Amino acid sequence: EAGVVQSPRYKIIEKKQPVAFWCNPISGHNTLYWYRQNLGQGPELLIRYENEEAVDDSQLPKDRFSAERLKGVDSTLKIQPAELGDSAVYLCASNQGGGETEAFFGQGTRLTVV
Amino acid sequence: GQNIDQPTEMTATEGAIVQINCTYQTSGFNGLFWYQQHAGEAPTFLSYNVLDGLEEKGRFSSFLSRSKGYSYLLLKELQMKDSASYLCAVPSGGYNKLIFGAGTRLAVHP
Protein backbone atom coordinates (compact mmCIF):
# COMPACT_ATOMS: atom_id res chain seq x y z
CA GLU A 1 0.00 0.00 0.00
CA ALA A 2 1.33 3.43 -0.94
CA GLY A 3 2.04 5.82 1.87
CA VAL A 4 1.36 9.53 2.02
CA VAL A 5 2.82 11.12 -1.08
CA GLN A 6 3.99 14.71 -1.17
CA SER A 7 5.50 16.82 -3.88
CA PRO A 8 7.78 18.48 -4.49
CA ARG A 9 10.44 17.17 -2.09
CA TYR A 10 12.41 20.37 -2.27
CA LYS A 11 11.56 23.91 -3.30
CA ILE A 12 13.69 27.04 -3.35
CA ILE A 13 11.98 30.35 -4.05
CA GLU A 14 12.66 34.02 -3.63
CA LYS A 15 10.77 35.93 -0.98
CA LYS A 16 7.46 37.43 -2.06
CA GLN A 17 6.93 34.63 -4.57
CA PRO A 18 4.04 32.14 -4.29
CA VAL A 19 4.54 28.44 -3.67
CA ALA A 20 2.25 25.42 -3.48
CA PHE A 21 2.63 21.97 -1.99
CA TRP A 22 0.63 18.90 -2.88
CA CYS A 23 -0.36 15.90 -0.77
CA ASN A 24 -2.01 12.61 -1.62
CA PRO A 25 -3.04 10.80 1.58
CA ILE A 26 -3.34 7.08 2.13
CA SER A 27 -6.42 5.69 0.40
CA GLY A 28 -9.42 5.63 2.71
CA HIS A 29 -7.99 8.09 5.21
CA ASN A 30 -10.59 10.74 5.93
CA THR A 31 -8.42 12.95 8.11
CA LEU A 32 -5.60 14.94 6.58
CA TYR A 33 -3.14 17.20 8.38
CA TRP A 34 -0.63 19.80 7.30
CA TYR A 35 2.23 20.34 9.73
CA ARG A 36 5.19 22.70 9.61
CA GLN A 37 8.51 21.60 11.10
CA ASN A 38 11.25 24.11 11.75
CA LEU A 39 14.82 22.92 12.10
CA GLY A 40 15.41 21.23 15.42
CA GLN A 41 11.75 21.40 16.40
CA GLY A 42 8.78 19.06 16.40
CA PRO A 43 6.01 19.37 13.82
CA GLU A 44 3.36 22.03 14.48
CA LEU A 45 -0.15 21.63 13.14
CA LEU A 46 -1.27 24.17 10.56
CA ILE A 47 -4.62 22.72 9.49
CA ARG A 48 -6.66 19.55 9.84
CA TYR A 49 -9.29 18.30 7.40
CA GLU A 50 -12.08 15.84 8.01
CA ASN A 51 -12.95 14.83 4.45
CA GLU A 52 -13.23 18.17 2.60
CA GLU A 53 -13.97 20.26 5.68
CA ALA A 54 -11.26 22.22 7.47
CA VAL A 55 -12.10 21.53 11.12
CA ASP A 56 -9.04 23.08 12.76
CA ASP A 57 -7.14 25.91 11.08
CA SER A 58 -6.43 27.97 14.17
CA GLN A 59 -2.67 27.80 13.61
CA LEU A 60 -2.77 28.68 9.91
CA PRO A 61 -1.49 32.23 9.16
CA LYS A 62 -4.45 33.14 7.06
CA ASP A 63 -3.03 36.34 5.68
CA ARG A 64 -0.65 34.41 3.45
CA PHE A 65 -1.44 30.71 3.80
CA SER A 66 -4.35 28.87 2.25
CA ALA A 67 -5.27 25.24 1.87
CA GLU A 68 -7.88 23.20 0.11
CA ARG A 69 -9.09 19.63 -0.13
CA LEU A 70 -11.85 19.97 -2.66
CA LYS A 71 -12.87 16.34 -3.14
CA GLY A 72 -11.85 15.10 0.26
CA VAL A 73 -8.77 13.30 -1.05
CA ASP A 74 -5.75 15.28 -2.31
CA SER A 75 -4.84 18.56 -0.69
CA THR A 76 -2.78 21.59 -1.57
CA LEU A 77 -1.18 24.12 0.74
CA LYS A 78 -0.27 27.51 -0.68
CA ILE A 79 1.81 30.40 0.56
CA GLN A 80 1.50 33.78 -1.11
CA PRO A 81 3.66 35.74 -0.73
CA ALA A 82 6.41 33.70 0.91
CA GLU A 83 8.61 35.24 3.59
CA LEU A 84 12.08 34.25 4.75
CA GLY A 85 10.62 32.86 7.98
CA ASP A 86 8.51 30.39 6.04
CA SER A 87 11.59 28.26 5.36
CA ALA A 88 10.76 24.91 6.95
CA VAL A 89 9.66 21.37 6.13
CA TYR A 90 5.96 21.09 5.39
CA LEU A 91 4.63 17.68 6.34
CA CYS A 92 1.36 16.12 5.32
CA ALA A 93 -0.14 13.31 7.38
CA SER A 94 -3.32 11.27 7.30
CA ASN A 95 -5.27 8.75 9.32
CA GLN A 96 -8.71 7.23 9.49
CA GLY A 97 -9.75 9.63 12.23
CA GLY A 98 -12.37 9.14 14.86
CA GLY A 99 -10.20 7.52 17.51
CA GLU A 100 -6.76 6.87 18.90
CA THR A 101 -5.13 6.18 15.58
CA GLU A 102 -1.58 7.03 14.66
CA ALA A 103 -0.91 9.58 11.95
CA PHE A 104 1.05 8.48 8.88
CA PHE A 105 3.40 11.13 7.55
CA GLY A 106 4.67 11.91 4.10
CA GLN A 107 8.34 12.72 3.54
CA GLY A 108 7.59 16.42 3.45
CA THR A 109 8.50 19.35 1.27
CA ARG A 110 11.59 21.25 2.32
CA LEU A 111 11.00 24.91 1.49
CA THR A 112 13.83 27.40 1.36
CA VAL A 113 12.95 31.05 0.89
CA VAL A 114 15.87 33.24 -0.16
CA GLY B 1 -3.06 23.82 26.80
CA GLN B 2 -0.32 21.30 26.27
CA ASN B 3 3.35 21.49 27.17
CA ILE B 4 5.89 18.79 26.35
CA ASP B 5 9.51 18.63 27.47
CA GLN B 6 12.25 16.33 26.21
CA PRO B 7 16.03 16.53 26.34
CA THR B 8 17.47 18.14 23.24
CA GLU B 9 20.30 15.72 22.58
CA MET B 10 21.64 12.40 23.83
CA THR B 11 24.57 10.22 22.87
CA ALA B 12 25.03 6.51 23.43
CA THR B 13 27.26 3.64 22.39
CA GLU B 14 26.36 0.88 19.98
CA GLY B 15 24.98 -2.13 21.87
CA ALA B 16 24.06 -0.11 24.94
CA ILE B 17 20.67 0.89 26.39
CA VAL B 18 19.33 4.44 26.35
CA GLN B 19 16.27 5.98 27.96
CA ILE B 20 14.66 9.08 26.47
CA ASN B 21 12.37 10.91 28.87
CA CYS B 22 9.31 13.02 28.15
CA THR B 23 7.25 15.05 30.58
CA TYR B 24 3.96 16.55 29.58
CA GLN B 25 1.20 18.80 30.84
CA THR B 26 -2.14 18.46 29.19
CA SER B 27 -5.66 19.62 29.93
CA GLY B 28 -7.09 16.24 29.05
CA PHE B 29 -5.21 13.01 28.54
CA ASN B 30 -5.82 10.88 25.47
CA GLY B 31 -2.64 8.85 25.36
CA LEU B 32 0.95 9.50 24.37
CA PHE B 33 2.77 8.72 21.13
CA TRP B 34 6.43 8.22 20.32
CA TYR B 35 7.68 8.79 16.78
CA GLN B 36 11.11 8.25 15.25
CA GLN B 37 12.40 10.67 12.63
CA HIS B 38 15.61 10.17 10.69
CA ALA B 39 17.20 13.29 9.26
CA GLY B 40 15.34 14.45 6.18
CA GLU B 41 12.69 11.77 6.54
CA ALA B 42 9.09 11.54 7.74
CA PRO B 43 8.26 10.80 11.37
CA THR B 44 7.31 7.14 11.77
CA PHE B 45 5.16 5.71 14.52
CA LEU B 46 6.87 3.76 17.31
CA SER B 47 4.37 3.41 20.14
CA TYR B 48 1.16 4.58 21.73
CA ASN B 49 0.49 4.36 25.48
CA VAL B 50 -2.82 5.15 27.08
CA LEU B 51 -2.55 3.07 30.27
CA ASP B 52 0.16 3.19 32.93
CA GLY B 53 3.02 0.77 32.62
CA LEU B 54 5.58 -0.57 30.22
CA GLU B 55 4.83 -1.76 26.71
CA GLU B 56 7.53 -3.72 24.97
CA LYS B 57 7.94 -4.01 21.24
CA GLY B 58 11.16 -5.71 20.25
CA ARG B 59 14.17 -3.57 21.10
CA PHE B 60 11.95 -0.60 21.89
CA SER B 61 9.78 -0.18 24.98
CA SER B 62 7.64 2.73 26.13
CA PHE B 63 6.57 3.55 29.65
CA LEU B 64 3.79 5.81 30.88
CA SER B 65 2.87 7.24 34.27
CA ARG B 66 -0.28 9.34 33.96
CA SER B 67 -0.15 10.54 37.58
CA LYS B 68 3.36 11.92 37.05
CA GLY B 69 2.82 13.22 33.52
CA TYR B 70 5.84 11.22 32.46
CA SER B 71 6.84 8.81 29.76
CA TYR B 72 10.05 7.29 28.53
CA LEU B 73 11.22 5.44 25.48
CA LEU B 74 13.75 2.69 26.15
CA LEU B 75 15.99 1.53 23.33
CA LYS B 76 17.99 -1.66 23.88
CA GLU B 77 20.90 -3.17 21.95
CA LEU B 78 21.46 0.11 20.20
CA GLN B 79 22.39 0.06 16.54
CA MET B 80 23.90 2.80 14.43
CA LYS B 81 20.63 3.07 12.50
CA ASP B 82 18.90 4.15 15.72
CA SER B 83 20.58 7.55 15.35
CA ALA B 84 17.56 9.78 14.80
CA SER B 85 15.25 12.24 16.53
CA TYR B 86 12.64 10.80 18.86
CA LEU B 87 9.45 12.82 19.17
CA CYS B 88 7.02 12.62 22.06
CA ALA B 89 3.46 13.69 21.19
CA VAL B 90 0.09 13.96 22.89
CA PRO B 91 -3.32 14.32 21.25
CA SER B 92 -5.24 17.53 21.81
CA GLY B 93 -8.86 18.41 21.23
CA GLY B 94 -10.02 14.84 21.27
CA TYR B 95 -7.81 12.43 19.40
CA ASN B 96 -7.19 14.01 16.05
CA LYS B 97 -4.57 16.70 16.70
CA LEU B 98 -1.08 15.77 17.83
CA ILE B 99 1.03 18.21 19.82
CA PHE B 100 4.70 17.33 19.45
CA GLY B 101 7.66 17.97 21.67
CA ALA B 102 10.78 19.42 20.10
CA GLY B 103 12.31 15.97 19.86
CA THR B 104 15.42 14.35 21.28
CA ARG B 105 18.29 13.92 18.84
CA LEU B 106 20.04 10.63 19.60
CA ALA B 107 23.52 9.94 18.26
CA VAL B 108 24.76 6.34 18.48
CA HIS B 109 28.54 5.93 18.33
CA PRO B 110 30.58 2.77 17.62
Side-chain angles (χ1 to χ4, degrees):
Chain A
E1 179 183 344
V4 177
V5 179
Q6 291 187 246
S7 68
R9 283 295 310 274
Y10 306 93
K11 189 74 176 179
I12 302 174
I13 61 170
E14 294 183 342
K15 62 181 180 181
K16 301 184 182 180
Q17 294 302 305
V19 65
F21 315 124
W22 176 81
C23 172
N24 180 232
I26 292 173
S27 177
H29 282 189
N30 299 323
T31 305
L32 183 146
Y33 311 79
W34 282 102
Y35 282 87
R36 176 170 59 189
Q37 186 173 25
N38 292 309
L39 189 64
Q41 299 296 315
E44 295 178 312
L45 182 70
L46 292 174
I47 189 168
R48 171 168 67 93
Y49 282 93
E50 295 290 343
N51 297 304
E52 66 275 9
E53 182 181 0
V55 296
D56 185 350
D57 63 356
S58 57
Q59 302 281 78
L60 191 73
K62 297 181 183 63
D63 57 336
R64 297 183 300 108
F65 286 63
S66 64
E68 60 183 17
R69 194 185 185 199
L70 293 176
K71 297 183 179 179
V73 180
D74 294 1
S75 177
T76 55
L77 178 69
K78 298 178 182 178
I79 308 175
Q80 182 172 9
E83 297 179 351
L84 295 177
D86 296 332
S87 295
V89 175
Y90 291 83
L91 293 162
C92 180
S94 70
N95 63 16
Q96 293 177 339
E100 306 98 334
T101 56
E102 68 191 84
F104 296 84
F105 285 84
Q107 289 191 297
T109 297
R110 181 177 295 278
L111 174 67
T112 302
V113 182
V114 298
Chain B
Q2 278 75 20
N3 189 43
I4 301 172
D5 288 310
Q6 314 179 227
T8 303
E9 292 184 353
M10 299 183 72
T11 59
T13 305
E14 194 174 15
I17 298 173
V18 71
Q19 177 175 313
I20 302 174
N21 296 325
C22 171
T23 58
Y24 63 89
Q25 296 172 322
T26 179
S27 55
F29 185 74
N30 293 313
L32 185 143
F33 289 83
W34 282 97
Y35 278 79
Q36 180 191 58
Q37 186 176 27
H38 285 99
E41 300 295 326
T44 55
F45 170 81
L46 289 177
S47 67
Y48 172 67
N49 293 66
V50 64
L51 299 176
D52 290 349
L54 184 69
E55 293 204 6
E56 300 187 61
K57 192 186 294 185
R59 294 189 300 113
F60 291 9
S61 302
S62 55
F63 172 84
L64 176 68
S65 169
R66 289 173 294 174
S67 62
K68 296 181 179 178
Y70 168 68
S71 173
Y72 68 72
L73 183 68
L74 191 70
L75 291 74
K76 303 176 185 176
E77 301 170 15
L78 281 172
Q79 302 175 10
M80 298 296 290
K81 67 178 182 180
D82 297 329
S83 294
S85 286
Y86 292 86
L87 300 163
C88 176
V90 294
S92 168
Y95 302 104
N96 285 322
K97 174 180 176 177
L98 282 179
I99 306 298
F100 285 87
T104 298
R105 195 159 52 249
L106 174 66
V108 180
H109 299 289

